[in-house]
Amino acid sequence: MSGDTSQPVPTESEPSRLRVFLVDDHAMFRAGVRAELGVHVDVIGEAATVPEAISAIAAHQPDVVLLDVHMPEGGGRAVLEATRRAYPQVRFLALSVSDAAEDVIGLIRAGARGYVTKTISPEELAAAIRRVADGDAVFSPRLAGFVLDAFAARPDASLADPELDQLTNREREVLRLLARGYAYKEIAKELYISIKTVETHVSNVLRKLQMSNRYELSRWAADRRLV
């Protein structure tokens, strides 16, 4: 983690720049985002893990947090759940490679003000940050239509889904790939984990959802539009 708290003092004719904090477990990606956003906002720090993010957000209380969705120890959702109520003035914008329904709805349900994918341009990302800081909800164009469809199809989507909520983020990732037809070996490669760990996650998901095989899981995931 790094945090640069020395910020230039704006003049009367120069509005203060937004203070943005980056949360992502990939150092190369953080470096790229920081370099691209530096001309638009003040990137005051970054974190690579959930505990680092929770501690740094409490210390710096930035205007906007750019939040990766999938990280160890609960990912972006864990960061939101640990900080959002304590620091309601801090806005969260999810920035992820994933456009899966469970990820988008899960982060919005947890309190994120927007969700954009990592294909976004630096200029579009800077504009999204400004809009989130102003209190707007922001989604990538394709996700905006998707979110509307998802909530229209599931009027209760804003409410808790007890079955889904009992799964960890990693278990949801494994479930989604399993439902898409991935073999255990392919899931392990996709998520950079061992086959044994995949087996453990699948076993946990089956136990929590009280199902006996992957075919039941696939139907369950498809019914919830998680695939």
Side-chain angles (χ1 to χ4, degrees):
M1 177 184 69
S2 64
D4 179 6
T5 58
S6 61
Q7 302 299 322
V9 177
T11 65
E12 292 185 358
S13 60
E14 183 181 47
S16 60
R17 285 155 57 96
L18 290 173
R19 300 166 64 249
V20 175
F21 193 87
L22 306 179
V23 181
D24 195 292
D25 58 344
H26 293 94
M28 290 287 287
F29 181 77
R30 294 198 309 274
V33 171
R34 189 165 192 152
E36 295 287 355
L37 284 182
V39 297
H40 303 287
V41 300
D42 288 331
V43 180
I44 62 171
E46 55 189 65
T49 69
V50 169
E52 285 180 358
I54 293 171
S55 175
I57 289 168
H60 300 301
Q61 298 186 33
D63 297 311
V64 176
V65 176
L66 281 183
L67 191 61
D68 191 16
V69 176
H70 294 291
M71 298 189 300
E73 302 180 86
R77 186 166 178 165
V79 176
L80 270 165
E81 291 173 346
T83 59
R84 187 176 66 85
R85 287 186 175 82
Y87 309 102
Q89 77 282 9
V90 179
R91 308 290 190 180
F92 293 85
L93 174 62
L95 178 61
S96 175
V97 296
S98 171
D99 60 0
E102 61 173 300
D103 292 332
V104 179
I105 293 176
L107 265 290
I108 297 305
R109 184 188 296 160
R113 291 295 302 176
Y115 193 114
V116 296
T117 60
K118 290 182 176 178
T119 57
I120 195 170
S121 72
E123 292 75 20
E124 290 171 334
L125 180 56
I129 290 170
R130 285 193 293 272
R131 290 180 58 194
V132 165
D134 288 339
D136 292 341
V138 177
F139 298 93
S140 294
R142 193 174 78 81
L143 292 183
F146 159 75
V147 170
L148 289 174
D149 291 344
F151 276 79
R154 294 181 54 203
D156 62 338
S158 62
L159 303 177
D161 184 332
E163 289 186 305
L164 183 60
D165 286 346
Q166 66 183 318
L167 304 183
T168 66
N169 282 350
R170 183 61 91 187
E171 288 168 351
R172 295 179 193 196
E173 290 177 320
V174 171
L175 168 62
R176 185 174 67 251
L177 295 175
L178 198 68
R180 289 177 177 175
Y182 282 52
Y184 284 12
K185 182 178 180 180
E186 294 171 318
I187 295 174
K189 183 178 180 180
E190 182 77 13
L191 299 180
Y192 301 99
I193 58 180
S194 69
I195 295 177
K196 182 65 177 177
T197 301
V198 173
E199 292 173 347
T200 299
H201 285 311
V202 173
S203 176
N204 289 339
V205 172
L206 287 170
R207 175 178 51 79
K208 289 180 178 179
L209 299 180
Q210 299 183 348
M211 296 179 187
S212 57
N213 58 60
R214 64 180 298 168
Y215 302 106
E216 291 182 17
L217 284 178
S218 296
R219 286 198 299 271
W220 185 88
D223 288 344
R224 282 168 166 74
R225 304 179 68 178
L226 302 181
V227 180

